[in-house]
Amino acid sequence: MYMAEKVLETVDLVKIFKDSYEVKALDNVSCFVEAGEILGVVGESGSGKSTLARAVTRLINVDSGSIILNGNDITGLKGKEMRKIYNDIQMVFQDAVSSFDARLTIEKNIDEVLENFTSLNRKQRKEKIKQLLRTVGLKEEYLTRKPLELSGGECQRAAIARAIATNPKLLICDEATSALDVSMQAQIVKMLKKLAVELNIAILFISHDLAIVNGLCDRVLVMYHGKVVESGKATEVICNPQDDYTKKLKASVFI
Ligand SMILES: Nc1ncnc2c1ncn2[C@@H]1O[C@H](COP(=O)(O)OP(=O)(O)OP(=O)(O)O)[C@@H](O)[C@H]1O
Ligand SMILES: [Mg+2]
């Protein structure tokens, strides 16, 4: 029987932020994403979506639960051990421009990643950068442009090119299309679908836009107050939600 490879699995993740009052930002969150699959994460503002992303990338420590990447428990990894898996997980954010060094060209920005994380020589890196730009649908002339000389959509493409430069197994997009207009969103969505299939990358796609998630994702998690309240095939969950919160979320979007 064909068994798809689980790239990421989280088991009962709990994260409590303690400020003036306690917030359970992740309340026993269990989920998985397989290679070549796109998992949508939806929920209102403050429901814990970005906290999940930050926990998975180990930018924050969780209070309990485990994070399994390619079958290895990475929950407690530190320093050098953690550095080894940085290549396997990459993130793309809403604000692509500010994720780049504005003083450097797109080529130099991407080259920094290749220089640090691969053993390619200068010539090979240049070829790789050209190939990456082609993959995300940017012409070669963008190599010499600076981030602020690109449109929002083009910049997001460049950010995705940089994110896939190290051949990650998992790509996390946190509201990566939210700042773009509808036609740009559609193009990025098409590209992400292609990346998942052609490069066999697992994608965790965080968004508040149910319509986009419906069009892009294979499965979806609906989060509310840190809990997964519903999950399943994206079209089924979004077109025919069972949970009251998902129903409300859907109604609030389409009103
Ligand atoms: N570093 C922090 N310190 C204290 N509380 C935090 C911290 N980060 C997040 N939180 C709280 O955790 C909860 C979940 O936040 P999170 O950023 O994960 O939400 P989100 O679903 O990504 O929201 P949005 O759609 O607005 O991006 C919120 O109540 C937030 O205030
Ligand atoms: Mg967020």
Side-chain angles (χ1 to χ4, degrees), residues 17 19 23 25 44-51 54 175:
F17 288 113
D19 269 344
V23 176
E44 66 191 24
S45 182
S47 57
K49 306 180 298 294
S50 296
T51 304
R54 289 192 289 145
E175 302 284 1

Side-chain angles (χ1 to χ4, degrees), residues 10-26:
T10 72
V11 186
D12 294 335
L13 284 189
V14 174
K15 176 68 190 177
I16 298 168
F17 288 113
K18 293 183 188 95
D19 269 344
S20 40
Y21 60 97
E22 271 192 14
V23 176
K24 209 169 195 182
L26 296 178

Side-chain angles (χ1 to χ4, degrees), residues 123 167 215:
K123 199 168 159 243
N167 305 320

